Amino acid sequence: MARITAGVAASHVPAIGAAIDHDQEGTDYWKPLFDGFAWTREWISREPPDVVILVYNDHATAFDLRMIPTFAIGCGDSFRPADEGFGARPVPTVQGHPELAWHLAESLILDEFDMTVLNEHDVDHGLTVPLSLMFGQPEAWPVKVVPVLVNVVQYPPPTGNRCWLLGEAIRRAVESFDENLDVQIWGTGGMSHQLQGPRAGLINTPFDHAFMDRLVTDPEALRRIPHLEYLREVGTEGIEMVMWLIMRGALGPDVTELHRHYHVPASNTAVGHMVLDASA
């Protein structure tokens, strides 16, 4: 059967993609951030998974105010990098895994999660930046990807607990797929940041570190954080951290932390990164 072997959390700041695309990884500003992903690049290159279930949010690229699904899943054969206003990123087309994606869609819907099925959509920096952080600039991505999209842009986003339960349902669905696949699940976005208004530039480092600690030691507490606490403590865009809970919920009760990195700022954002082993 298929199995989820690890979870990866990573912020998906668009400026990170621009830094990679313009060969700025070694500059004084960017080098401390990218150094924190060197361990993960080496780790994942040794035994890359067959498939990554990549949880991210669309940034008004595939969706806008005319259509706002709470949860969606990409079931297409491939996904092109989106033009977000400056041309598409010079990265490979993302190859999907339609068989696993359709199995997930069926299983999740029958498990009472109302998934929107996307047979075709372009993917923005929320998906391509994490791939670049893990794999650099290859001619082709070394893994297939099943995109899972979450609304954290237009109120109301799903609760942390609902995201956790979706992660648990994803794990059940993967384990019922009758093919021997090594699957990783990545939760992206965050950490603390606000991009507009009087609190633009907000970063709450103590909250971010406590969140990462609890992701390993006390994830039950994270399930109960209300929307208003995210808004107050980590800014309007900090709500993206609920997508980390989908990843964590899919890993089972016990995990081993393999790697952690935290860096501020990256374009007014606190960047967090973790690798969690789910084989325990």
Side-chain angles (χ1 to χ4, degrees):
M1 68 178 185
R3 64 210 177 278
I4 295 178
T5 58
V8 175
S11 302
H12 58 215
V13 182
I16 294 175
I20 295 171
D21 299 341
H22 294 90
D23 298 320
Q24 296 176 353
E25 294 172 83
T27 63
D28 290 344
Y29 183 86
W30 287 109
K31 188 175 185 301
L33 181 144
F34 288 108
D35 283 351
F37 289 87
W39 183 95
T40 308
R41 287 189 182 187
E42 195 279 328
W43 166 79
I44 205 167
S45 69
R46 293 197 304 268
E47 294 185 31
D50 300 305
V51 184
V52 169
I53 299 171
L54 204 155
V55 182
Y56 78 107
N57 64 290
D58 179 78
H59 301 79
T61 301
F63 307 134
D64 57 29
L65 291 178
R66 295 172 296 178
M67 179 175 59
I68 311 170
T70 299
F71 297 122
I73 184 167
C75 294
D77 292 314
S78 61
F79 310 96
R80 296 176 302 178
D83 183 347
E84 299 181 64
F86 300 93
R89 288 193 63 213
V91 296
T93 295
V94 177
Q95 299 303 314
H97 196 299
E99 297 82 7
L100 177 60
W102 274 106
H103 173 80
L104 288 171
E106 177 182 354
S107 179
L108 292 173
I109 291 169
L110 294 178
D111 209 1
E112 303 186 351
F113 284 88
D114 298 323
M115 307 298 294
T116 298
V117 174
L118 306 176
N119 290 313
E120 180 180 338
H121 77 287
D122 294 345
V123 292
D124 66 18
H125 70 270
L127 185 141
T128 63
V129 164
L131 287 173
S132 295
L133 283 168
M134 307 308 158
F135 299 117
Q137 295 175 294
E139 292 186 5
W141 300 119
V143 298
K144 295 185 176 182
V145 175
V146 175
V148 173
L149 298 87
V150 182
N151 169 41
V152 290
V153 175
Q154 177 63 40
Y155 185 85
T159 65
N161 188 57
R162 188 64 172 163
C163 288
W164 178 281
L165 293 173
L166 177 59
E168 291 184 332
I170 288 172
R171 182 181 182 90
R172 292 192 294 270
V174 168
E175 291 179 347
S176 67
F177 187 63
D178 191 19
E179 185 177 340
N180 185 24
L181 291 177
D182 183 327
V183 179
Q184 290 183 7
I185 183 165
W186 296 3
T188 73
M191 297 187 88
S192 60
H193 63 302
Q194 180 157 325
L195 302 181
Q196 70 288 308
R199 297 201 307 164
L202 179 149
I203 290 176
N204 187 341
T205 295
F207 186 99
D208 290 340
H209 282 302
F211 189 94
M212 289 192 286
D213 289 341
R214 288 183 172 184
L215 208 63
V216 178
T217 63
D218 189 15
E220 286 290 324
L222 300 182
R223 298 172 63 172
R224 310 303 171 186
I225 298 176
H227 290 148
L228 285 177
E229 185 170 342
Y230 282 109
L231 182 67
R232 180 181 65 247
E233 297 294 336
V234 289
T236 49
E237 282 71 38
I239 191 63
E240 290 180 345
M241 292 158 72
V242 298
M243 295 188 290
W244 291 35
L245 299 184
I246 297 176
M247 176 273 291
R248 181 62 185 85
L251 300 183
D254 299 311
V255 297
T256 301
E257 181 179 336
L258 300 180
H259 178 64
R260 182 189 299 200
H261 174 53
Y262 182 80
H263 176 76
V264 293
S267 185
N268 291 330
T269 303
V271 170
H273 171 47
M274 298 181 76
V275 179
L276 304 176
D277 186 343
S279 60

